[in-house]
Amino acid sequence: MALMAGLRVPARALLRSGCWLRGAALAGAEAAAGLGAGVRRFGSQRVLVEPDPAAGVAVVKLKSPPVNSLSLELLTELVISLEKLDNDKTFRGIVLTSDLCGVFSAGLDLTELCGRSPAHYAEYWRALQELWLRLYLSGLVSVAAVNGASPAGGCLLCLSCDYRVLADSPSCVIGPNETRLGIVAPFWFKDCMVNTVGHRAAEQALQLGTLFPPAEALRVGLVDQVVPEDQVQSTALAAMARWLAIPDHARQLTKSMMRKPTADRLAKHREADVQSFVSFVSRDSIQKALQTYLEKLKQKG
Amino acid sequence: MALMAGLRVPARALLRSGCWLRGAALAGAEAAAGLGAGVRRFGSQRVLVEPDPAAGVAVVKLKSPPVNSLSLELLTELVISLEKLDNDKTFRGIVLTSDLCGVFSAGLDLTELCGRSPAHYAEYWRALQELWLRLYLSGLVSVAAVNGASPAGGCLLCLSCDYRVLADSPSCVIGPNETRLGIVAPFWFKDCMVNTVGHRAAEQALQLGTLFPPAEALRVGLVDQVVPEDQVQSTALAAMARWLAIPDHARQLTKSMMRKPTADRLAKHREADVQSFVSFVSRDSIQKALQTYLEKLKQKG
Amino acid sequence: MALMAGLRVPARALLRSGCWLRGAALAGAEAAAGLGAGVRRFGSQRVLVEPDPAAGVAVVKLKSPPVNSLSLELLTELVISLEKLDNDKTFRGIVLTSDLCGVFSAGLDLTELCGRSPAHYAEYWRALQELWLRLYLSGLVSVAAVNGASPAGGCLLCLSCDYRVLADSPSCVIGPNETRLGIVAPFWFKDCMVNTVGHRAAEQALQLGTLFPPAEALRVGLVDQVVPEDQVQSTALAAMARWLAIPDHARQLTKSMMRKPTADRLAKHREADVQSFVSFVSRDSIQKALQTYLEKLKQKG
């Protein structure tokens, strides 16, 4: 499909490149306790997919305790789930949410970026690029039901969706807080920020590493709606209905017109971006900063 | 003039290419009932021009009943009127408005896009490009007095002006509703939207085909002022006075600096854009969608 | 440093090119009356630098009566002060403000642009480019404490900082009012405006030459905070503390990511921009307009 033209690395290549999917639950389906008769969950160990074929919608739930850090495994399973849904004509939209309490996604898994080999960093970054390109350009309507904190890479996931509903709770902060950890968001995250909140607000938030509480996130345009925590999913589904009222082909062409130039900036220079990341994260100073941060987290936790 | 550098097809070429101007009223002038002595209307059958030479302003009124659909004839007459005013040093500004009740312009004339030859689609699209380039880059100050509904191509006309005043009436909706008809706005309409309301609001409005009621149009920045219906024209003229307080040459160079990069994206690839449109609109699925829509309109009307 | 890659003309080249620094106060330091023990002012005749080494912050005060017009001397002294601070590891941030009452900076010094040689116009424009590139890309945190009127080039200085605090006084207007004088802001000022307030607000303000009173400047996003006049500097220092809480290297790389594409548009075409300015300002019509304006100012003053 035209919308996918930017994507060069199919999910199976990610698998081949060494990411082992524990449980091999990909093709399987499990009975879903608490769902109506005939509704079945599928997905993988860390990504639950709750399909509603009648509505043409699947709810995709991140479930990688304790905080949905984007490990290589979670990235890969998410890419595979999205690829599957993108290619299944039953589905026209997805709601992306968290199965955990209080956190949507904590962003990049820093243990993947600390004390590993350059080859590992490269593999990890390719998987992150892949996830972003797939989600940002997906032909499916994507609504983020942000039911928990969503810093850094978690924020990136949200911004890559078509619409964002955030839970109105003080813990549900969202934003690009990379600089606070001494690291830097990639240019394509920056582009997403600029496209969503404009150049000035992006510049300030990215430099200051701002985590926005719900009211501020709404005011700056980082999310589209803020609702009580127990209405996040129903509000996301109501938004989905508005998007599904539009004929897919016209909506998809329009989405591509809006997003392809941004995605192409990465798609055309993926390897350079990988090399730039690997060389940045391999620096002694960055490794030390990450190590210090991880040790602090351990002491806390 | 530098501002016009992007324009390669003069209005007479459009005429030569087969568009017959009924009434040949172009050069003529008619006594204008209800206007002060010495003030004369000119224009063509579908475009009334009410000049106020003392003020250096002309009011350009669309009059193509029932809904000012942008037929090939209306496009051509409008291009010719604009070219004439652009080249006449008497005039420094135009107010673009509708002579009909309740509608500014219904946008593209779908009967031009349905069951016709590829050559016709190409001719039509070239005329639309021409109108947009001329209006968007005009050295004249252009104020849209939006006294009626302004969907799709009607919205494009408004966004191509320097300033927009919208009537505060529930029927005066404005926005890019193309996707609702199963079609897609061209990239230069998208660029206009992004330039006016920013990337995020443009993305959402273009995908959802949003028609904004006046208060929402003002909030999102699609228009600059919303006033009671009977004050639209006077407010537009008051805005015009503020723009005319600026020396023309400095204002024109600044306008060109802001708009030429956007216009050039089309000007440099006009034929590719024509071919892309012709091939899109010639698709069976699009023809069927347009036919169904036109039949619905007939049944309603 | 990577952030400075766009800068080709070091400050000493400006000096060599003929700008004489009266007082040769550059390297000197003077006892600062009214400052605490051990705190010393340095700087040049027109640029006072009040360092606070403990905080890592220097307050840079423009002092070129009567209105801090950006003369070639002031531009050059400011570039040299910034270069010095940029290269001194004692400092992580600067507060840019005015030592005069009621005016931050009146913008370009029109006497430099009127009745002089093309070579002088070229030298002047190169110095302005140099100042902008250095301030816009500075690795230092820069906060503008805008304690007076800030039209045209004054506004450009403010927009080139990271954060702007404006005094809440009716005289403290700020904006790009070039067109009102019959001149045109350069494209890189336009880019700064677009990056700060978005395309639509920039287009309108630049064409109309709008000077925004404080409340309007805040609403449109031209400044970040408006506070009572006597709190401008303390508020600027409080903002500085928030920016200094971020590790420098991550903040600087992020700033560069946001700003380098904009700066590069000028950095790559500096000479063409100089030539374009020289030919514009040398026009008879522009010279006459400037002369008339200067004579009016004289009669007033």
Side-chain angles (χ1 to χ4, degrees), chain B residues 32-88:
Chain B
L35 294 175
V39 177
R40 292 160 68 87
R41 282 187 179 156
F42 60 90
S44 55
Q45 192 181 355
R46 293 170 192 79
V47 178
L48 303 181
V49 178
E50 295 178 0
D52 180 348
V57 174
V59 177
V60 176
K61 294 186 168 177
L62 307 181
K63 187 184 181 179
S64 186
V67 290
N68 284 333
S69 287
L70 299 171
S71 64
L72 183 53
E73 282 88 352
L74 178 54
L75 289 177
T76 309
E77 293 182 24
L78 195 45
V79 167
I80 290 171
S81 295
L82 289 175
E83 187 178 26
K84 212 171 145 182
L85 291 163
D86 248 326
N87 293 332
D88 183 340

Coordinates of all heavy atoms in Angstrom, one line a residue, chain B residues 32-88:
Chain B
A32 N -25.2 50.5 -12.2 CA -25.4 49.8 -11.0 C -26.5 50.4 -10.2 O -26.3 51.4 -9.6 CB -24.1 49.8 -10.2
A33 N -27.6 49.7 -10.3 CA -28.8 50.2 -9.5 C -28.4 50.2 -8.0 O -27.7 49.2 -7.6 CB -29.9 49.3 -9.7
G34 N -28.8 51.2 -7.3 CA -28.5 51.2 -5.9 C -27.2 51.6 -5.5 O -26.9 51.7 -4.3
L35 N -26.3 51.9 -6.4 CA -25.0 52.4 -6.0 C -25.0 53.9 -6.3 O -25.8 54.4 -7.0 CB -23.9 51.8 -6.9 CG -23.7 50.3 -6.7 CD1 -22.6 49.8 -7.6 CD2 -23.2 50.1 -5.2
G36 N -24.1 54.6 -5.6 CA -24.1 56.1 -5.8 C -23.8 56.5 -7.2 O -23.3 55.7 -8.0
A37 N -24.1 57.7 -7.5 CA -23.8 58.2 -8.9 C -22.3 58.1 -9.2 O -21.5 58.3 -8.4 CB -24.2 59.7 -8.9
G38 N -22.1 57.7 -10.5 CA -20.7 57.6 -10.9 C -20.1 56.3 -10.6 O -19.0 56.0 -11.1
V39 N -20.6 55.5 -9.7 CA -20.1 54.2 -9.4 C -20.7 53.2 -10.3 O -21.9 53.1 -10.5 CB -20.4 53.8 -7.9 CG1 -19.9 52.4 -7.7 CG2 -19.8 54.8 -7.0
R40 N -19.9 52.4 -11.0 CA -20.4 51.5 -12.0 C -19.9 50.1 -11.8 O -18.8 49.9 -11.4 CB -19.9 52.0 -13.4 CG -20.5 53.3 -13.9 CD -19.7 53.9 -14.9 NE -19.7 53.2 -16.2 CZ -20.7 53.3 -17.1 NH1 -21.6 54.2 -16.9 NH2 -20.6 52.6 -18.2
R41 N -20.8 49.2 -11.9 CA -20.4 47.8 -11.8 C -19.8 47.3 -13.1 O -20.2 47.8 -14.2 CB -21.6 46.9 -11.6 CG -22.1 47.0 -10.1 CD -23.2 45.9 -10.0 NE -23.7 45.9 -8.6 CZ -24.8 45.5 -8.2 NH1 -25.7 45.1 -9.2 NH2 -25.2 45.4 -7.0
F42 N -18.8 46.5 -13.1 CA -18.4 45.8 -14.3 C -18.2 44.3 -13.9 O -18.8 43.8 -12.9 CB -17.2 46.4 -15.0 CG -15.9 46.4 -14.1 CD1 -15.0 45.4 -14.2 CD2 -15.7 47.5 -13.3 CE1 -13.9 45.5 -13.5 CE2 -14.5 47.6 -12.6 CZ -13.6 46.6 -12.7
G43 N -17.6 43.6 -14.8 CA -17.4 42.2 -14.5 C -18.0 41.3 -15.6 O -18.2 41.8 -16.7
S44 N -18.3 40.1 -15.2 CA -18.8 39.2 -16.2 C -20.2 38.7 -15.7 O -20.7 39.2 -14.7 CB -17.8 38.0 -16.4 OG -17.6 37.4 -15.2
Q45 N -20.7 37.6 -16.4 CA -22.0 37.2 -16.0 C -22.1 36.6 -14.6 O -23.0 36.8 -13.9 CB -22.4 36.1 -17.0 CG -23.8 35.7 -16.9 CD -24.1 34.6 -17.9 OE1 -23.3 34.2 -18.7 NE2 -25.3 34.0 -17.9
R46 N -21.0 35.9 -14.2 CA -21.0 35.2 -12.9 C -20.2 35.9 -11.8 O -20.1 35.5 -10.7 CB -20.5 33.8 -13.1 CG -21.4 32.9 -13.9 CD -20.8 31.6 -14.2 NE -21.5 30.9 -15.3 CZ -21.5 31.2 -16.6 NH1 -20.7 32.2 -17.0 NH2 -22.2 30.6 -17.4
V47 N -19.5 37.0 -12.2 CA -18.7 37.7 -11.3 C -19.0 39.2 -11.4 O -18.6 39.8 -12.4 CB -17.2 37.5 -11.6 CG1 -16.3 38.3 -10.6 CG2 -16.8 36.0 -11.5
L48 N -19.6 39.7 -10.3 CA -19.9 41.2 -10.3 C -18.8 41.9 -9.7 O -18.3 41.5 -8.6 CB -21.2 41.4 -9.5 CG -22.5 40.7 -10.0 CD1 -23.6 41.1 -9.1 CD2 -22.8 41.0 -11.4
V49 N -18.3 43.0 -10.3 CA -17.3 43.8 -9.7 C -17.8 45.2 -9.4 O -18.2 45.9 -10.3 CB -16.0 43.9 -10.6 CG1 -15.0 44.7 -10.0 CG2 -15.5 42.5 -10.9
E50 N -17.9 45.5 -8.1 CA -18.3 46.9 -7.8 C -17.1 47.7 -7.3 O -16.7 47.5 -6.2 CB -19.4 46.7 -6.6 CG -20.6 46.0 -7.0 CD -21.6 45.9 -5.8 OE1 -21.3 46.3 -4.7 OE2 -22.7 45.3 -6.1
P51 N -16.7 48.6 -8.2 CA -15.5 49.3 -7.9 C -15.8 50.5 -7.0 O -16.8 51.2 -7.2 CB -15.0 49.8 -9.3 CG -16.2 49.8 -10.1 CD -17.2 48.9 -9.5
D52 N -14.9 50.8 -6.1 CA -14.9 52.1 -5.4 C -13.5 52.7 -5.6 O -12.6 52.6 -4.8 CB -15.1 51.8 -3.9 CG -15.1 53.1 -3.1 OD1 -14.7 54.2 -3.6 OD2 -15.5 53.1 -1.9
P53 N -13.4 53.4 -6.8 CA -12.0 53.9 -7.2 C -11.4 54.9 -6.2 O -10.2 54.9 -5.9 CB -12.3 54.6 -8.5 CG -13.6 54.1 -9.0 CD -14.4 53.8 -7.8
A54 N -12.3 55.6 -5.5 CA -11.8 56.6 -4.5 C -11.0 55.9 -3.4 O -10.0 56.3 -3.0 CB -12.9 57.4 -3.9
A55 N -11.6 54.7 -3.0 CA -11.0 54.0 -1.9 C -9.9 53.0 -2.5 O -9.1 52.5 -1.7 CB -12.1 53.2 -1.2
G56 N -9.9 52.9 -3.8 CA -8.9 51.9 -4.3 C -9.3 50.5 -4.1 O -8.5 49.5 -4.2
V57 N -10.6 50.3 -3.9 CA -11.1 48.9 -3.5 C -12.2 48.5 -4.5 O -13.0 49.3 -4.9 CB -11.7 48.9 -2.0 CG1 -12.3 47.6 -1.7 CG2 -10.6 49.3 -1.1
A58 N -12.2 47.2 -4.8 CA -13.3 46.7 -5.6 C -13.9 45.5 -4.8 O -13.2 44.7 -4.2 CB -12.8 46.2 -6.9
V59 N -15.3 45.5 -4.8 CA -16.0 44.4 -4.2 C -16.3 43.4 -5.3 O -16.9 43.7 -6.3 CB -17.3 44.8 -3.5 CG1 -18.0 43.6 -2.9 CG2 -16.9 45.8 -2.3
V60 N -15.8 42.2 -5.2 CA -16.0 41.1 -6.2 C -17.0 40.1 -5.7 O -16.8 39.5 -4.6 CB -14.6 40.4 -6.5 CG1 -14.8 39.3 -7.5 CG2 -13.6 41.4 -7.0
K61 N -18.2 40.0 -6.4 CA -19.3 39.2 -5.9 C -19.5 38.0 -6.8 O -19.7 38.2 -8.0 CB -20.5 40.0 -5.8 CG -20.5 41.1 -4.8 CD -21.9 41.8 -4.7 CE -21.9 42.7 -3.5 NZ -23.2 43.5 -3.4
L62 N -19.5 36.8 -6.2 CA -19.8 35.6 -6.9 C -21.3 35.5 -7.1 O -22.0 35.6 -6.1 CB -19.3 34.4 -6.2 CG -17.8 34.4 -5.8 CD1 -17.4 33.1 -5.0 CD2 -16.9 34.6 -7.0
K63 N -21.7 35.3 -8.4 CA -23.1 35.2 -8.6 C -23.4 34.1 -9.6 O -23.7 34.4 -10.8 CB -23.6 36.6 -9.1 CG -25.1 36.6 -9.3 CD -25.6 37.9 -9.9 CE -27.1 38.0 -10.0 NZ -27.5 39.3 -10.6
S64 N -23.3 32.9 -9.2 CA -23.6 31.8 -10.0 C -24.5 30.8 -9.3 O -24.2 29.9 -8.7 CB -22.2 31.0 -10.3 OG -22.4 30.0 -11.3
P65 N -25.9 31.2 -9.4 CA -26.9 30.4 -8.7 C -26.9 28.9 -9.1 O -26.5 28.6 -10.3 CB -28.2 31.1 -9.1 CG -27.8 32.4 -9.7 CD -26.4 32.2 -10.3
P66 N -27.3 28.0 -8.3 CA -27.9 28.4 -7.0 C -26.9 28.5 -5.8 O -27.2 29.1 -4.8 CB -28.8 27.1 -6.7 CG -28.1 26.0 -7.4 CD -27.5 26.6 -8.6
V67 N -25.7 28.0 -6.0 CA -24.8 27.9 -4.8 C -23.3 28.3 -5.1 O -22.4 27.9 -4.4 CB -24.8 26.5 -4.2 CG1 -26.2 26.2 -3.5 CG2 -24.5 25.4 -5.2
N68 N -23.1 29.1 -6.2 CA -21.8 29.5 -6.5 C -20.8 28.3 -6.6 O -19.6 28.4 -6.2 CB -21.2 30.5 -5.5 CG -21.8 31.9 -5.8 OD1 -22.2 32.2 -6.9 ND2 -21.8 32.7 -4.7
S69 N -21.3 27.2 -7.2 CA -20.3 26.1 -7.5 C -19.3 26.6 -8.4 O -19.6 27.4 -9.3 CB -21.1 24.9 -8.1 OG -21.9 24.2 -7.2
L70 N -18.1 26.1 -8.2 CA -17.0 26.6 -9.1 C -16.9 25.8 -10.4 O -16.1 24.9 -10.6 CB -15.6 26.4 -8.3 CG -15.5 27.2 -7.0 CD1 -14.3 26.9 -6.2 CD2 -15.6 28.7 -7.3
S71 N -17.8 26.2 -11.3 CA -17.9 25.7 -12.6 C -16.6 26.2 -13.4 O -16.0 27.2 -13.0 CB -19.1 26.1 -13.3 OG -19.1 27.5 -13.5
L72 N -16.3 25.6 -14.5 CA -15.2 26.0 -15.3 C -15.5 27.5 -15.7 O -14.5 28.3 -15.7 CB -15.1 25.1 -16.6 CG -13.9 25.5 -17.5 CD1 -12.6 25.5 -16.7 CD2 -13.8 24.4 -18.6
E73 N -16.7 27.8 -16.0 CA -17.0 29.2 -16.4 C -16.7 30.2 -15.2 O -16.1 31.2 -15.4 CB -18.5 29.4 -16.8 CG -18.8 28.9 -18.2 CD -19.1 27.4 -18.2 OE1 -19.0 26.7 -17.2 OE2 -19.5 26.9 -19.3
L74 N -17.2 29.8 -14.1 CA -17.0 30.7 -12.9 C -15.5 30.9 -12.6 O -15.1 32.0 -12.4 CB -17.8 30.2 -11.7 CG -17.6 31.0 -10.4 CD1 -18.0 32.5 -10.6 CD2 -18.5 30.5 -9.3
L75 N -14.8 29.8 -12.6 CA -13.4 29.8 -12.4 C -12.7 30.8 -13.4 O -11.9 31.7 -13.0 CB -12.7 28.5 -12.5 CG -13.0 27.4 -11.5 CD1 -12.3 26.1 -11.8 CD2 -12.5 27.9 -10.1
T76 N -13.1 30.6 -14.6 CA -12.4 31.4 -15.7 C -12.8 32.9 -15.5 O -11.9 33.8 -15.6 CB -12.8 30.9 -17.0 OG1 -12.6 29.5 -17.1 CG2 -12.0 31.6 -18.1
E77 N -14.0 33.2 -15.3 CA -14.4 34.6 -15.2 C -13.8 35.2 -13.9 O -13.4 36.4 -14.0 CB -16.0 34.7 -15.1 CG -16.6 34.3 -16.4 CD -18.2 34.4 -16.3 OE1 -18.7 35.2 -15.5 OE2 -18.8 33.7 -17.1
L78 N -13.6 34.4 -12.9 CA -13.0 35.0 -11.7 C -11.5 35.3 -11.9 O -11.0 36.3 -11.5 CB -13.2 34.0 -10.5 CG -13.0 34.4 -9.1 CD1 -13.6 35.8 -8.8 CD2 -13.5 33.4 -8.1
V79 N -10.8 34.3 -12.6 CA -9.4 34.6 -12.9 C -9.3 35.8 -13.8 O -8.4 36.7 -13.5 CB -8.9 33.4 -13.7 CG1 -7.5 33.7 -14.3 CG2 -8.7 32.2 -12.8
I80 N -10.2 36.0 -14.7 CA -10.1 37.2 -15.6 C -10.3 38.5 -14.8 O -9.6 39.5 -15.0 CB -11.0 37.0 -16.8 CG1 -10.5 35.9 -17.7 CG2 -11.2 38.4 -17.6 CD1 -11.5 35.5 -18.8
S81 N -11.3 38.4 -13.9 CA -11.6 39.6 -13.1 C -10.4 40.0 -12.2 O -10.0 41.1 -12.1 CB -12.8 39.4 -12.3 OG -14.0 39.3 -13.1
L82 N -9.8 38.9 -11.6 CA -8.7 39.2 -10.7 C -7.5 39.7 -11.5 O -6.8 40.6 -11.1 CB -8.3 37.9 -10.0 CG -9.3 37.4 -8.9 CD1 -8.8 36.1 -8.4 CD2 -9.4 38.4 -7.8
E83 N -7.3 39.1 -12.7 CA -6.1 39.6 -13.5 C -6.3 41.1 -13.9 O -5.4 41.9 -13.8 CB -6.0 38.8 -14.8 CG -4.8 39.0 -15.6 CD -4.7 38.1 -16.8 OE1 -5.7 37.7 -17.3 OE2 -3.6 37.9 -17.3
K84 N -7.6 41.4 -14.2 CA -7.9 42.8 -14.6 C -7.6 43.7 -13.4 O -7.0 44.8 -13.6 CB -9.4 42.8 -15.0 CG -9.7 43.8 -16.1 CD -11.2 43.6 -16.5 CE -11.8 44.9 -16.8 NZ -13.3 44.7 -17.2
L85 N -8.1 43.4 -12.3 CA -7.9 44.2 -11.1 C -6.5 44.3 -10.7 O -6.0 45.4 -10.3 CB -8.8 43.7 -9.9 CG -10.3 43.8 -10.2 CD1 -11.1 42.9 -9.2 CD2 -10.7 45.3 -10.0
D86 N -5.8 43.2 -10.8 CA -4.3 43.1 -10.4 C -3.5 44.1 -11.3 O -2.6 44.7 -10.8 CB -3.8 41.7 -10.6 CG -3.4 41.0 -9.3 OD1 -3.0 41.7 -8.4 OD2 -3.6 39.8 -9.2
N87 N -4.0 44.2 -12.5 CA -3.2 45.1 -13.5 C -3.7 46.5 -13.6 O -3.1 47.3 -14.3 CB -3.3 44.4 -14.9 CG -2.6 43.1 -15.0 OD1 -1.6 42.9 -14.2 ND2 -3.0 42.2 -15.9
D88 N -4.7 46.8 -12.8 CA -5.3 48.2 -12.8 C -4.8 48.9 -11.6 O -5.2 48.6 -10.5 CB -6.9 48.0 -12.8 CG -7.5 49.4 -13.0 OD1 -6.9 50.4 -12.7 OD2 -8.7 49.4 -13.3

